[in-house]
Amino acid sequence: MASEAPAEAIEIRLRDLRPGPPVSFIARVVQVERREITRKSDGQRRPILSGLVSDGTGTVRFTWWDPPAEEIDRGSVLRIVRAEVREYLGRAEVAFTYKTRVAPAAEAELPRLNWEEMPVRTIRDLVPPDEGFRLDARVVRVSARSVAVGAERRSLFEGLLADGSGVIGFTSWRDFSLREGEAVRIGGGYLHVYRRRPQLVLDDRSMVTRLPEAVLPPLAKLWSPSRQSLARWEAEGGGEAVELAGRVVGILPPSGLFYRCPQCRRRIQQGICVNHGPVTGQPDLAARLVLDDGTGAATVNLDRPATESVSGLTLEACLERLRSAPDPSGIEELLWERLIGTSWTVRGSAYVDDFGLSVRPETIEPTPGTEAPDADRLRRRLA
Ligand SMILES: [Zn+2]
């Protein structure tokens, strides 16, 4: 292919793709699947890659005949020269054949977008793999999390946006200094499906500007979780802003005291991290409560502060107890004894997977009119 004459292909943006002569473009792989098909002429198996590529102005299907053996990861940016354009079910799509050159490219080479070019969308309109839109919304919440990417650690910002039409979760690999409550215009993000729900992803090409306060109603008007039965939330597949209430009917493992790797924060077993080998673990506390409201059940995943506040058991108290009774499963029993039968109202986000409805709480409070946790009794037990 290198000996071929310079390609006479038209440089295009994907939103302008029409069936016609070969085209060249730079795009990111947003979805990719490798499979084998049987060639009609000789019955031989032949590998193909297919999926979606996007340059921020449009997203199109691609088929890559006889692709390289190496994995092509989702998110890779590729320079594609002389792709064939075909029409399938009324939509233009591209095929990479033996005439096409495909090479890695840098994110900075993707087309520059400007605000005027981007169609305006509301959160309710957003459907994966939509992108290249602009969105005005308020930041409901945002927090930074340190995640392992190969051997290094990077900061990932995640949170929730609301605009009055709906609520959507977002993640960003770049720090846009977002603050809770502020009104922002966001462009150049893309959507993917996370836990069966659309999520907005911001990367190095995304743009964020602050909007005047008056552009959007105050946060409390844009975002208030609605209260529904557990059966209803499960039928709807969860949501970004849910409120539910129920009684604790079970506590699932892993709950109680455990240890994390100091480097990658993974849970470790017997002092061994799967990434880092023998390490000195850092103690942590968590609980997975099964709530039931008569219509259905949900698993509520509590981190350390939430576990401490609902159970009255602090991490320090658990470690203290472990010094005298060195069996960590005793902590799970204590959680059980403390929480079984108690009633809670939870607000947060929820999703449905093979195990049913799971809730990540923003707040968890005793349901009014039910018995409050008895911290004194617990302290006596620990003493
Ligand atoms: Zn580790």
Side-chain angles (χ1 to χ4, degrees), residues 323-344:
R323 266 169 231 134
S324 52
D327 175 15
S329 69
I331 308 292
E332 195 179 335
E333 276 165 38
L334 266 185
L335 284 174
W336 173 279
E337 203 171 289
R338 191 74 202 99
L339 292 170
I340 218 77
T342 55
S343 290
W344 300 91

Side-chain angles (χ1 to χ4, degrees), residues 36-46:
E36 280 195 342
I37 58 158
T38 304
R39 187 154 51 186
K40 276 187 193 129
S41 54
D42 56 8
Q44 274 195 340
R45 304 288 283 169
R46 186 180 178 192

Side-chain angles (χ1 to χ4, degrees), residues 28 107 112 115 118 137 139 141-145 154-159 161 170-180 182-190 200-211:
R28 185 179 50 235
E107 269 204 4
R112 282 250 153 254
W115 292 113
M118 297 182 207
V139 179
R141 62 169 157 81
V142 59
S143 58
R145 186 157 70 88
R154 287 182 64 186
S155 286
L156 176 67
F157 299 85
E158 40 184 22
L161 298 166
F170 73 90
T171 60
S172 176
W173 290 102
R174 184 172 151 194
D175 185 3
F176 289 102
S177 307
L178 295 174
R179 289 189 323 276
E180 190 175 313
E182 70 179 340
V184 288
R185 171 162 295 170
I186 294 174
Y190 60 98
L200 178 65
V201 184
L202 306 179
D203 63 17
D204 285 337
R205 294 171 57 251
S206 307
M207 307 191 290
V208 173
T209 60
R210 269 74 197 170
L211 294 172

Side-chain angles (χ1 to χ4, degrees), residues 26-56:
I26 293 172
R28 185 179 50 235
V29 176
V30 292
Q31 192 192 87
V32 62
E33 184 192 15
R34 181 181 290 266
R35 58 203 165 90
E36 280 195 342
I37 58 158
T38 304
R39 187 154 51 186
K40 276 187 193 129
S41 54
D42 56 8
Q44 274 195 340
R45 304 288 283 169
R46 186 180 178 192
I48 65 164
L49 280 184
S50 62
L52 296 168
V53 283
S54 169
D55 67 354

Side-chain angles (χ1 to χ4, degrees), residues 107-138:
E107 269 204 4
E109 295 177 82
L110 285 163
R112 282 250 153 254
L113 301 172
N114 57 58
W115 292 113
E116 291 68 42
E117 284 182 302
M118 297 182 207
V120 179
R121 293 270 196 282
T122 63
I123 288 173
R124 197 205 338 243
D125 301 332
L126 298 178
V127 181
D130 205 1
E131 71 173 284
F133 50 83
R134 119 191 166 209
L135 178 72
D136 292 350
R138 269 192 206 279

Side-chain angles (χ1 to χ4, degrees), residues 260-266 268 272-277 279:
R260 288 188 189 279
C261 169
Q263 287 164 64
C264 67
R265 306 292 301 154
R266 269 175 189 267
I268 59 172
I272 309 285
C273 168
V274 293
N275 294 329
H276 298 102
V279 290

